[in-house]
């Protein structure tokens, strides 16, 4: 629902605060459940995800249901003014189901059938499991669909993994028949199966990739990953049938993920496809704050990138479905958040578009693998410890941010991220095996804009390019003719495009383009990349650009000019003095090609020039030092500006406009100091501009 430039993704008009609540673990402790209600109010929490792994409690035996405890939870949370995000329980099935219906158990890529246990270990193709999940979901929808506390459906949990059982093999073959119009010759051509005598003469010969079978046919690998995404979505769509039928007005989400250590998008599923089937995007963020391999600001930049990707998938606010109030239990080193970091990291999520701060978990478990994972309520059951107090501070702050709910971010700059491109690059064996680092490369291009407080959308290849004045497409190795045509149209109609080394090499089947670089790309860029040199870490070479010299790392593309202008040149090796950076005017727009992997200093200088040329500015000019990030959300009349200090030192900030502190309601002086990890939220009326 959109009102006054705001998009409300749930019926709530306030920030959601709370998290995963597992009362099914405490049904024999009514005193604990009573304490929970008291502590929820003390922590300013208002929203709880319930039932995520509760199947064995809801249905302890087949056809025997126990909903009374959940009835009580709904009523008690409703009485304190809270909301419930009700989960479907398919993420971890009960033991009786595995025992009676062993077909629901996954088979791994080595063709070994898995035992019951863990979670996210079910076959997405199993008709039995699809029937059983739909059955329990229908009962939940009938019982709770009209309850006033129900805010949203949380479908399963962190979908992931794949199954290689015979049912999945048959489903894969059916998917291939549909994809290739039942033409096996077309599949053989697309996969280049004449290589190593891999030609298929019958559909039944096709097996999913396996270390004990075939893993070297890149077209097979790529299509299998596409199938896994589509089959996961198919399972999801089956789960929500009764929910859409009985509760069409209740929004649906499932929680996306990111790789914690590199802080890159989760790679096992193509979320650009999955997003189309969700009403609201949500994700689980667990950055390793205070680690010893990067600065706090570097990590914050990466978090911003993921936020901007997931927000851009639907161009509306998202939800932070899981986070930790302090530490987790599965990093190599489980370090506690330092004082101030919980509020700062929470406000960063809000600044980039979240309308919630939700946690895993509300209360720590007593046993099993997550008994030491961070939680709002610790084993001491006390509201007086530091973590509970930090959570309460965040909750109190969120209560003052109701005007921000539903606001979005406007961007004139986009960076293109593509899951299929990452998969294909992972198979490519002609470059550095460990130095490709596609998502990390995108984050390096994102960095300068984050440092300069210029908002960026991280978009996918299906989205609208024309909405942006600057489009950056690093390492677009897999580029279909359709995508290339859209890039050409974007530049022709006035857009500015930046592309880099290792782009435009293969089509959507991971087949190289014959005859060199595609003609449309040559037209756009006015040049041709002839050869890509892969460098050892000890190799040294440099690029001169705008009278400065920058070191090269990993890759250097040798370029032949046609109608482009050389902007930078190599200094060393057999391609010394040849172009390394080019520009080219094409019809109404302009295209730049960066032929080498260059450092942050080059990116700052290069993109600063484009910012000037394109008049790209931050929403609210704020002067500050490195490590301070300024991000804004907007409605039709007001900018909400988050000024965040991601350093361990005091930072002086100056601002020329008249602004007010949203939390304290006080006017903000032209110059102020941020303490380490401090954040200020400013209100700026557009009428002041």
């Amino acid at each position: 629902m959109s009102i006054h430039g705001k998009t409300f993704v749930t019926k709530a008009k306030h920030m959601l605060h709370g998290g995963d609540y597992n009362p099914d673990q405490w049904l024999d402790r009514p005193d604990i459940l009573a304490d929970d209600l008291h502590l929820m109010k003390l922590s300013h929490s208002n929203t709880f995800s319930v039932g995520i792994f509760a199947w064995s409690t809801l249905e302890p035996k087949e056809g025997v249901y126990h909903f009374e405890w959940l009835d009580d939870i709904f009523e008690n949370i409703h009485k304190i003014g809270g909301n419930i995000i009700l989960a479907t329980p398919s993420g971890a099935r009960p033991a009786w189901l595995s025992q009676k219906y062993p077909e629901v158990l996954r088979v791994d890529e080595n063709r070994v059938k898995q035992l019951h246990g863990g979670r996210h270990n079910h076959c997405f193709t199993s008709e039995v499991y699809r029937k059983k999940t739909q059955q329990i979901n229908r009962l939940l929808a009938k019982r709770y669909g009209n309850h006033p506390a129900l805010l949203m459906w949380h479908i399963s949990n962190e979908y992931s993994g794949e199954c290689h059982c015979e049912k999945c093999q048959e489903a894969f073959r059916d998917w291939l028949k549909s994809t290739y119009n039942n033409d096996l010759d077309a599949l053989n051509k697309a996969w280049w199966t004449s290589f190593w005598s891999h030609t298929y003469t019958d559909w039944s010969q096709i097996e999913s990739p396996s270390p004990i079978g075939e893993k070297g046919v890149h077209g097979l690998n790529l299509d299998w990953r596409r199938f896994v995404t589509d089959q996961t979505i198919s399972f999801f769509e089956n789960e929500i049938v009764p929910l859409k039928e009985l509760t069409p007005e209740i929004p649906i989400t499932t929680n996306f993920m990111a790789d914690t250590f590199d802080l890159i998008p989760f790679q096992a599923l193509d979320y650009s496809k999955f997003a189309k089937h969700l009403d609201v995007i949500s994700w689980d963020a667990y950055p390793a704050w205070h680690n010893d391999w990067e600065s706090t600001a570097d990590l914050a930049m990466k978090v911003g990138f993921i936020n901007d990707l997931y927000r851009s998938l639907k161009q509306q606010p998202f939800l932070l479905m899981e986070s930790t109030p302090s530490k987790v239990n599965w990093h190599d080193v489980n370090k506690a958040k330092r004082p101030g970091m919980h509020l700062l990291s929470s406000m960063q999520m809000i600044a980039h578009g979240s309308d919630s701060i939700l946690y895993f978990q509300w209360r720590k478990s007593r046993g099993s693998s997550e008994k030491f994972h961070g939680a709002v309520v610790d084993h001491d059951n006390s509201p007086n410890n530091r973590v509970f107090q930090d959570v309460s501070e965040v909750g109190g702050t969120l209560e003052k941010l109701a005007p921000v709910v539903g606001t979005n971010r406007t961007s004139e700059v986009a960076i293109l991220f593509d899951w299929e491109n990452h998969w294909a690059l992972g198979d490519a064996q002609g470059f550095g095996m460990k130095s490709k680092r596609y998502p990390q490369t995108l984050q390096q291009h994102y960095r300068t804009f984050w440092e300069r407080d210029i908002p960026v959308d991280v978009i996918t290849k299906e989205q609208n390019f024309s909405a942006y004045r600057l489009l950056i497409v690093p390492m677009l190795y897999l580029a279909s003719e359709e995508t290339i045509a859209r890039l050409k149209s974007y530049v022709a109609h006035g857009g500015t495009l930046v592309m880099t080394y290792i782009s435009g090499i293969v089509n959507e089947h991971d087949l190289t383009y014959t005859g060199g670089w595609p003609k449309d790309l040559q037209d756009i860029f006015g040049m041709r990349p002839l050869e890509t040199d892969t460098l050892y870490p000890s190799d040294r070479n440099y690029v001169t650009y705008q009278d400065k010299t920058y070191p090269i790392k990993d890759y250097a593309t040798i370029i032949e000019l046609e109608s482009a202008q050389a902007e930078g040149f190599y200094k060393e090796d057999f391609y010394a003095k040849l172009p390394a950076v080019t520009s080219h005017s094409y019809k109404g727009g302009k295209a730049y090609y960066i032929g080498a992997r260059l450092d942050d200093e080059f990116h700052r200088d290069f993109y600063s020039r484009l910012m000037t040329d394109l008049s790209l500015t931050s929403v609210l000019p704020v002067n500050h030092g490195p490590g301070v990030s300024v991000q804004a959300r907007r409605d039709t009349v007001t900018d909400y500006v988050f000024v965040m200090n991601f350093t361990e030192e005091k930072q002086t900030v100056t601002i020329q406009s008249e602004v007010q502190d949203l939390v304290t309601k006080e006017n903000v002086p032209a110059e102020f100091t941020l303490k380490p990890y401090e954040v200020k939220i400013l209100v700026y009326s557009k009428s002041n501009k």
Side-chain angles (χ1 to χ4, degrees):
M1 180 172 59
S2 183
I3 302 175
H4 303 306
K6 296 183 178 183
T7 301
F8 297 104
V9 297
T10 74
K11 64 184 179 183
K13 302 300 187 293
H14 55 260
M15 290 288 174
L16 308 182
H17 187 231
D20 283 19
Y21 181 37
N22 301 297
D24 43 303
Q25 298 179 15
W26 300 93
L27 295 182
D28 62 342
R29 291 291 305 273
D31 57 320
I32 291 292
L33 298 180
D35 285 345
D36 282 333
L37 298 172
H38 171 65
L39 294 170
M40 286 170 182
K41 291 187 287 186
L42 283 182
S43 63
H44 304 275
S45 295
N46 57 46
T47 302
F48 304 92
S49 302
V50 178
I52 294 174
F53 299 122
W55 198 337
S56 63
T57 306
L58 292 168
E59 189 181 7
K61 296 180 180 180
E62 186 173 20
V64 177
Y65 300 102
H66 289 257
F67 292 114
E68 296 80 9
W69 65 273
L70 189 52
D71 295 344
D72 291 341
I73 296 301
F74 261 86
E75 289 303 314
N76 290 334
I77 288 179
H78 181 55
K79 286 176 183 176
I80 64 170
N83 308 300
I84 288 181
I85 299 174
L86 184 56
T88 64
S90 66
R93 66 191 171 277
W96 63 258
L97 203 160
S98 299
Q99 183 181 47
K100 185 172 181 179
Y101 305 102
E103 74 164 58
V104 306
L105 298 168
R106 279 185 184 169
V107 173
D108 70 15
E109 63 178 358
N110 291 299
R111 307 312 192 248
V112 176
K113 195 172 188 67
Q114 304 300 287
L115 300 176
H116 175 82
R119 55 182 181 145
H120 309 306
N121 55 1
H122 45 271
C123 171
F124 287 131
T125 306
S126 166
E127 294 177 1
V128 168
Y129 203 57
R130 289 182 175 223
K131 178 181 178 181
K132 287 297 182 182
T133 53
Q134 206 174 91
Q135 193 173 64
I136 188 76
N137 294 355
R138 182 171 294 278
L139 292 173
L140 291 170
K142 284 182 176 180
R143 195 172 188 101
Y144 304 108
N146 293 320
H147 198 288
L150 180 62
L151 184 68
M152 177 181 288
W153 288 107
H154 180 315
I155 310 303
S156 196
N157 183 70
E158 295 182 336
Y159 282 105
S160 61
E162 56 193 50
C163 178
H164 298 258
C165 72
E166 190 50 44
K167 289 182 179 292
C168 288
Q169 301 294 346
E170 287 299 323
F172 180 42
R173 293 172 193 128
D174 289 342
W175 183 93
L176 292 171
K177 290 175 184 177
S178 175
T179 300
Y180 292 96
N181 298 313
N182 213 36
D183 186 343
L184 191 56
D185 289 338
L187 177 144
N188 279 312
K189 183 177 180 180
W191 289 3
W192 208 251
T193 55
S194 56
F195 179 77
W196 283 358
S197 192
H198 284 332
T199 302
Y200 297 102
T201 57
D202 191 88
W203 293 99
S204 63
Q205 297 163 2
I206 299 173
E207 293 271 357
S208 59
S210 172
I212 63 171
E214 182 54 70
K215 293 201 77 169
V217 175
H218 292 173
L220 164 64
N221 296 343
L222 187 57
D223 275 343
W224 170 253
R225 293 182 178 103
R226 289 168 172 152
F227 164 76
V228 169
T229 291
D230 287 352
Q231 197 70 349
T232 304
I233 293 171
S234 172
F235 182 84
F236 164 88
E237 286 289 320
N238 181 80
E239 281 207 68
I240 68 174
V241 166
L243 312 184
K244 285 296 187 182
E245 174 189 330
L246 298 172
T247 61
E249 74 288 354
I250 303 297
I252 285 175
T253 191
T254 191
N255 42 343
F256 287 174
M257 295 181 281
D259 181 279
T260 295
F261 300 104
D262 278 339
L263 239 293
I264 62 173
F266 182 66
Q267 288 306 301
L269 297 173
D270 184 344
Y271 283 162
S272 69
K273 288 185 177 181
F274 213 145
K276 298 171 184 176
H277 300 263
L278 302 177
D279 298 317
V280 185
I281 300 296
S282 65
W283 78 285
D284 300 346
Y286 293 102
W289 296 111
H290 320 296
N291 65 63
D292 61 2
W293 61 83
E294 62 191 337
S295 71
T296 302
D298 285 342
L299 180 53
M301 178 272 295
K302 295 176 182 179
V303 176
F305 177 90
I306 303 293
N307 280 329
D308 286 339
L309 170 61
Y310 291 162
R311 172 185 53 79
S312 299
L313 286 174
K314 294 190 83 69
Q315 294 293 336
Q316 66 183 29
F318 62 91
L319 299 179
L320 175 63
M321 187 59 70
E322 290 185 21
S323 61
T324 178
S326 184
K327 62 182 181 178
V328 298
N329 70 327
W330 41 272
H331 289 174
D332 289 340
V333 175
N334 295 292
K335 189 164 184 138
K337 287 181 180 176
R338 271 34 201 168
M341 177 50 73
H342 182 50
L343 178 63
L344 174 63
S345 60
S346 297
M347 292 304 103
Q348 184 191 22
M349 306 301 294
I350 303 298
H352 282 266
S354 179
D355 279 352
S356 72
I357 300 296
L358 302 173
Y359 309 109
F360 182 83
Q361 50 192 328
W362 166 255
R363 176 183 289 276
K364 284 185 178 178
S365 302
R366 283 199 67 195
S368 295
S369 63
E370 290 175 332
K371 62 179 176 289
F372 296 122
H373 191 291
V376 178
V377 182
D378 211 327
H379 296 133
D380 62 6
N381 202 40
S382 171
N384 299 318
N385 60 62
R386 183 177 71 91
V387 172
F388 190 95
Q389 292 298 312
D390 283 352
V391 169
S392 299
E393 180 186 17
V394 168
T397 302
L398 290 174
E399 288 176 348
K400 300 174 182 178
L401 300 189
V404 183
V405 175
T407 60
N408 209 339
R409 287 162 58 83
T410 56
S411 305
E412 295 183 299
V413 180
I415 295 177
L416 179 63
F417 175 80
D418 183 34
W419 272 270
E420 292 185 348
N421 180 61
H422 194 192
W423 296 338
L425 257 176
D427 272 344
Q429 295 167 290
F431 310 102
M433 299 307 291
K434 295 182 179 180
S435 64
K436 286 174 282 192
R437 295 178 61 80
Y438 169 62
Q440 295 88 340
T441 300
L442 269 62
Q443 289 172 338
Q444 292 307 108
H445 285 260
Y446 173 90
R447 176 189 297 276
T448 297
F449 298 93
W450 186 83
E451 292 175 342
R452 293 282 296 272
D453 309 323
I454 293 177
V456 174
D457 284 355
V458 183
I459 65 172
T460 59
K461 61 180 180 293
E462 298 84 7
Q463 290 177 267
N464 180 19
F465 298 164
S466 65
Y468 306 97
R469 300 178 65 199
L470 174 61
L471 175 61
I472 304 166
V473 290
M475 296 185 72
L476 193 62
Y477 167 78
L478 184 150
S480 68
E481 291 182 1
E482 178 186 359
T483 298
I484 293 171
R486 294 186 63 228
L487 292 174
K488 188 174 185 178
S489 175
Y490 167 77
V491 179
H493 287 89
T496 298
L497 177 66
V498 178
M499 185 174 271
T500 74
Y501 52 91
I502 315 181
S503 291
I505 309 298
V506 301
N507 67 10
E508 67 273 20
H509 300 297
D510 207 353
L511 293 178
T512 59
Y513 284 104
T514 57
W517 221 33
K519 179 64 166 57
D520 278 349
L521 289 179
Q522 294 183 45
D523 290 345
I524 300 169
F525 291 94
M527 43 74 67
R528 291 193 303 147
L530 301 180
E531 182 181 356
T532 299
D533 191 14
T534 302
L535 307 181
Y536 283 103
S538 61
D539 287 334
R540 297 290 179 267
N541 203 343
Y542 305 87
V543 165
T544 57
Y545 171 80
Q546 298 283 299
D547 300 321
K548 290 179 68 174
T549 300
Y550 307 88
I552 296 172
K553 183 180 181 181
D554 300 328
Y555 300 107
T557 300
I558 300 162
I559 294 169
E560 179 181 76
L561 292 182
E562 292 174 348
S563 53
Q565 177 179 338
E567 300 271 358
F569 299 88
Y570 293 110
K571 285 197 69 175
E572 308 290 345
D573 222 313
F574 68 92
Y575 39 91
K577 300 183 180 180
L578 293 180
V581 182
T582 66
S583 65
H584 183 244
S585 296
Y586 176 72
K587 295 188 176 181
K590 197 164 187 178
Y592 294 85
Y593 186 88
I594 302 172
R597 179 170 286 174
L598 293 155
D599 62 4
D600 291 337
E601 185 178 0
F602 170 83
H603 290 147
R604 292 185 183 105
D605 292 342
F606 176 80
Y607 286 118
S608 293
R609 180 183 168 195
L610 290 187
M611 291 174 195
T612 299
D613 291 346
L614 298 172
S615 300
L616 300 172
T617 59
S618 59
V619 172
L620 180 65
V622 178
N623 295 322
H624 57 76
V628 173
S629 176
V630 181
Q631 304 291 331
R633 294 178 63 171
R634 320 178 80 174
D635 59 27
T636 54
V637 296
T638 307
D639 293 336
Y640 303 95
V641 183
F642 295 70
V643 185
M644 300 169 282
N645 181 11
F646 289 100
T647 75
E648 287 68 35
E649 294 82 33
K650 292 181 180 179
Q651 297 282 347
T652 300
V653 176
T654 59
I655 182 170
Q656 301 303 317
S657 303
E658 294 183 7
V659 295
Q660 188 181 67
D661 189 306
L662 179 59
V663 176
T664 67
K665 307 302 181 184
E666 297 174 348
N667 291 330
V668 177
E671 181 175 296
F672 58 90
T673 300
L674 289 176
K675 295 179 290 188
Y677 303 152
E678 187 178 7
V679 56
K680 283 189 177 294
I681 307 165
L682 312 179
V683 181
Y684 178 53
S685 173
K686 294 179 183 179
S687 63
N688 293 340
K689 292 187 178 179

